[in-house]
């Protein structure tokens, strides 16, 4: 089999019906890859087994098909990969980069400043040199970060830089209950699947430097990143999972996939008119230059 040069991916979390933000990110990921004849990988991100289910995974696949967004292969869901993640965790341990962290949620909240806009904080390294661990508590595990800037040229957002020490701090890779965190799982899964292009929502731009750092440690090349802008309702409200009327379960009752894609594409600057269009037709005229760079106000649906 000849190896395709561009490999993109969908990495949905099956914790509910797809909402418009997910649809938009998936559409752009698909367009970017298919407009260049590349390959797409689907992966269910179901690390949080309390919130995710196989029923939602089936609905996600079914919604993607309805939209006309196909994929070439599906890799195993994250919930089945903890043995694989163990190996990469050991690699970090061998490199001497891991340490146990016993901080409680309230300690983390009170000690670590400043809080970043996305609700996270810069970890002050409290447990880095802990001599005597508190008894009777299982630790989370953190990876030490270098005092170095990671930079990327994002397809949608342009230049983005982050110093992992001053902007993030040592971060958790395995929780106290033994579950691996998103940052580790996503890096391993994208790396092993040979993903060369990661397209997803703008809310994950701040995660890219942590993933780039882990890619270096695990020996994976950096992919190209494209973080698509957030969708806003016509009145400027942020769309969220709470807007049940805008999830695909509801939208599919009253719209064709072409009408939905047409509205998304027009709102995002990808087409000149708000007319129905299929994903396939849109791929013929897709370019990252046309995509709006700021928050996208959605035309009414
Ligand atoms: N699973 C994440 C989500 O559904 C996306 C993660 C990613 O694309 O890296 O929001």
């Amino acid at each position: 089999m000849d190896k395709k040069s561009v490999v993109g991916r969908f990495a949905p979390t099956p914790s509910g019906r797809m909402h418009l933000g997910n649809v938009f990110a998936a559409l752009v990921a698909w367009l970017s890859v298919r407009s260049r004849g590349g390959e797409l990988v689907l992966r269910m991100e179901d690390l949080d087994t309390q919130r995710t289910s196989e029923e939602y995974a089936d609905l996600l696949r079914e919604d993607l098909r309805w939209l006309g967004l196909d994929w070439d292969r599906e890799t195993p869901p994250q919930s089945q990969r903890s043995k694989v993640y163990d190996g990469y965790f050991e690699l970090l341990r061998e490199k001497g980069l891991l340490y146990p962290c016993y901080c409680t949620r309230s300690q983390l909240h009170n000690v670590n400043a400043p809080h970043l806009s996305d609700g996270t904080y810069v970890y002050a390294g409290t447990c880095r040199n802990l001599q005597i661990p508190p008894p009777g508590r299982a630790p989370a595990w953190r990876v030490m970060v270098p005092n170095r800037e990671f930079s990327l040229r994002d397809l949608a957002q342009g230049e983005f830089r982050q110093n992992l020490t001053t902007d993030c701090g040592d971060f958790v890779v395995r929780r106290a209950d033994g579950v691996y965190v998103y940052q580790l799982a996503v890096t391993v899964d994208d790396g092993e699947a040979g993903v060369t292009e990661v397209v997803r929502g703008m809310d994950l731009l701040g995660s890219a430097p942590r993933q780039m750092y882990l890619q270096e440690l695990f020996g994976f090349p950096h992919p190209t990143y494209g973080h698509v802008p957030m969708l806003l309702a016509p009145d400027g409200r942020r769309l969220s999972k709470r807007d049940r009327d805008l999830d695909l379960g509801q939208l599919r009752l009253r719209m064709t996939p072409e009408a939905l894609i047409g509205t998304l594409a027009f709102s995002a600057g990808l087409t000149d008119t708000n007319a129905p269009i299929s994903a396939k037709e849109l791929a013929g005229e897709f370019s990252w230059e046309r995509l709006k760079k700021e928050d996208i106000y959605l035309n009414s649906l």
Side-chain angles (χ1 to χ4, degrees):
M1 210 173 63
D2 67 326
K3 206 155 158 44
K4 302 223 169 96
S5 50
V6 184
V7 181
R9 43 65 137 194
F10 302 132
T13 300
S15 60
R17 203 69 193 256
M18 267 183 125
H19 62 88
L20 273 179
N22 307 137
V23 172
F24 181 57
L27 174 66
V28 178
W30 187 92
L31 289 169
S32 180
V33 167
R34 291 300 194 222
S35 62
R36 284 169 296 153
E39 188 186 355
L40 264 150
V41 180
L42 172 65
R43 172 179 74 243
M44 292 298 160
E45 303 217 313
D46 58 351
L47 283 172
D48 184 349
T49 50
Q50 303 291 316
R51 282 196 317 126
T52 57
S53 74
E54 192 45 50
E55 286 73 48
Y56 280 130
D58 283 341
L59 281 169
L60 271 166
R61 292 185 196 97
E62 168 49 28
D63 284 340
L64 288 169
R65 280 191 206 102
W66 180 82
L67 288 160
L69 306 180
D70 60 347
W71 59 95
D72 301 287
R73 60 191 158 104
E74 179 166 355
T75 57
Q78 293 183 327
S79 60
Q80 293 175 16
R81 304 248 305 152
S82 52
K83 287 266 176 318
V84 177
Y85 305 144
D86 282 345
Y88 289 90
F89 182 75
E90 282 312 315
L91 197 76
L92 297 177
R93 198 201 295 276
E94 282 162 22
K95 288 179 187 284
L97 290 170
L98 290 181
Y99 64 87
C101 172
Y102 296 87
C103 293
T104 61
R105 202 177 280 264
S106 63
Q107 278 170 329
L108 290 173
H109 194 82
N110 296 333
V111 174
N112 301 289
H115 291 256
L116 306 178
S117 57
D118 62 355
T120 57
Y121 51 83
V122 179
Y123 184 63
T126 317
C127 289
R128 219 192 230 229
N129 300 308
L130 200 66
Q131 300 301 327
I132 308 161
R137 194 139 41 91
W141 289 86
R142 286 184 187 268
V143 62
M144 291 182 213
V145 299
N147 187 1
R148 202 180 102 204
E149 206 162 67
F150 285 76
S151 70
L152 62 112
R153 191 182 295 279
D154 192 89
L155 290 167
Q157 309 301 328
E159 199 78 13
F160 180 73
R161 296 166 177 282
Q162 195 181 81
N163 179 310
L164 281 184
T165 290
T166 54
D167 300 333
C168 172
D170 300 337
F171 60 93
V172 173
V173 289
R174 201 173 84 177
R175 297 190 329 210
D177 61 5
V179 176
Y180 288 100
V181 307
Y182 160 73
Q183 307 293 355
L184 183 135
V186 80
T187 304
V188 170
D189 290 349
D190 283 342
E192 289 200 345
V195 166
T196 65
E197 182 175 288
V198 170
V199 176
R200 57 192 176 192
M202 173 67 190
D203 50 333
L204 288 168
L205 179 60
S207 288
R210 270 169 281 178
Q211 293 167 20
M212 292 171 73
Y213 171 49
L214 291 178
Q215 284 151 15
E216 288 184 8
L217 295 173
F218 297 158
F220 296 125
H222 296 316
T224 306
Y225 286 102
H227 289 89
V228 303
M230 302 312 271
L231 295 180
L232 300 179
D235 63 3
R237 233 172 1 103
R238 233 172 208 221
L239 298 182
S240 76
K241 278 205 170 168
R242 271 169 296 158
D243 293 296
R244 287 295 306 278
D245 52 329
L246 294 178
D247 76 24
L248 272 195
Q250 294 301 314
L251 289 171
R252 282 178 60 168
L253 298 174
R254 57 185 172 94
M255 292 185 90
T256 62
E258 292 79 14
L260 177 56
I261 289 174
T263 298
L264 283 174
F266 179 62
S267 306
L270 295 175
T271 51
D272 297 325
T273 53
N274 190 354
I277 187 167
S278 69
K280 216 174 216 149
E281 286 169 279
L282 190 55
E285 43 186 291
F286 175 78
S287 81
W288 279 97
E289 285 72 42
R290 291 194 68 168
L291 184 78
K292 286 188 184 154
K293 305 290 178 269
E294 281 106 46
D295 288 348
I296 291 173
Y297 287 86
L298 203 58
N299 266 62
S300 52
L301 283 163

